């Protein structure tokens, strides 16, 4: 990102989403958005790339292009997520589930959703997915951060 006042290149592994663009641009323009936004300004990350940030994100695919069999919703967690670190949980529209430990399986080859050892993580992630799909504004941010 090239932004006013930030001249030193920086790298951060924190999750930044498309819905962060509007709040970031509004902050750069010193504008106050008339509505509460789901995203957040990334300016704090530009100031300090190591800043604690979102621990999880919602991922959605709402179509059938590209060979996917239907729609899905997913939760992707970061290494900072203490309950379910670095995992991807996917719930398909046909009821199928997938769970990947991205530390041991970064290419999502073998789903561990049927493993009894992962049952509690599956339950936590399924609950988070339902909450993230239905949240708005600062509630989304709280769910991403907790």
């Amino acid at each position: 990102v090239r932004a006013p006042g930030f001249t030193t290149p920086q790298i951060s592994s924190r999750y930044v989403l498309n819905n962060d663009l509007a709040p970031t641009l509004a902050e750069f323009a010193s504008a106050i958005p008339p509505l509460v936004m789901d995203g957040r300004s990334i300016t704090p990350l530009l100031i300090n790339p190591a800043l604690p940030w979102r621990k999880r994100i919602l991922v959605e695919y709402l179509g059938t292009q590209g060979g996917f069999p239907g729609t899905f919703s997913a939760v992707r967690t970061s290494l900072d997520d203490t309950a379910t670190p670095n995992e991807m949980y996917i719930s398909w529209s046909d009821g199928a589930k997938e769970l990947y430990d991205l530390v041991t399986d970064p290419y999502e080859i073998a789903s561990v959703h049927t493993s009894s050892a992962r049952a509690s993580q599956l339950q936590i992630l399924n609950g988070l997915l339902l909450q993230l799909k239905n949240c708005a504004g600062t509630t989304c941010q709280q769910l991403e951060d907790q």
Side-chain angles (χ1 to χ4, degrees), residues 5-136:
F6 299 97
T7 57
T8 305
Q10 300 176 41
I11 296 175
S12 175
S13 61
R14 306 296 186 231
Y15 296 140
V16 175
L17 307 173
N18 290 343
N19 64 2
D20 294 332
L21 284 173
T24 303
L25 294 173
E27 184 172 344
F28 288 160
S30 299
I32 299 173
L35 301 172
V36 175
M37 297 188 206
D38 291 344
R40 59 183 87 181
S41 173
I42 65 167
T43 302
L45 281 181
L46 296 173
I47 295 167
N48 180 4
L51 183 73
W53 195 248
R54 350 178 122 90
K55 295 179 182 178
R56 59 190 64 94
I57 58 172
L58 172 67
V59 178
E60 292 182 298
Y61 177 75
L62 306 174
T64 56
Q65 298 175 355
F68 288 112
T71 65
F72 69 81
S73 299
V75 176
R76 170 68 163 91
T77 64
S78 72
L79 286 170
D80 296 331
D81 190 318
T82 55
T84 57
N86 210 27
E87 293 187 339
M88 175 71 105
Y89 169 69
I90 305 166
S91 177
W92 289 87
S93 56
D94 66 0
K97 309 285 185 214
E98 298 176 48
L99 176 62
Y100 299 98
D101 178 340
L102 299 174
V103 172
T104 60
D105 185 10
Y107 300 108
E108 300 176 20
I109 304 297
S111 177
V112 294
H113 71 283
T114 58
S115 168
S116 59
R118 300 285 184 153
S120 64
Q121 288 154 307
L122 195 68
Q123 188 175 23
I124 291 168
L125 290 166
N126 190 57
L128 279 170
L129 178 61
L130 294 173
Q131 292 177 61
L132 285 166
K133 285 176 64 171
N134 296 300
C135 68

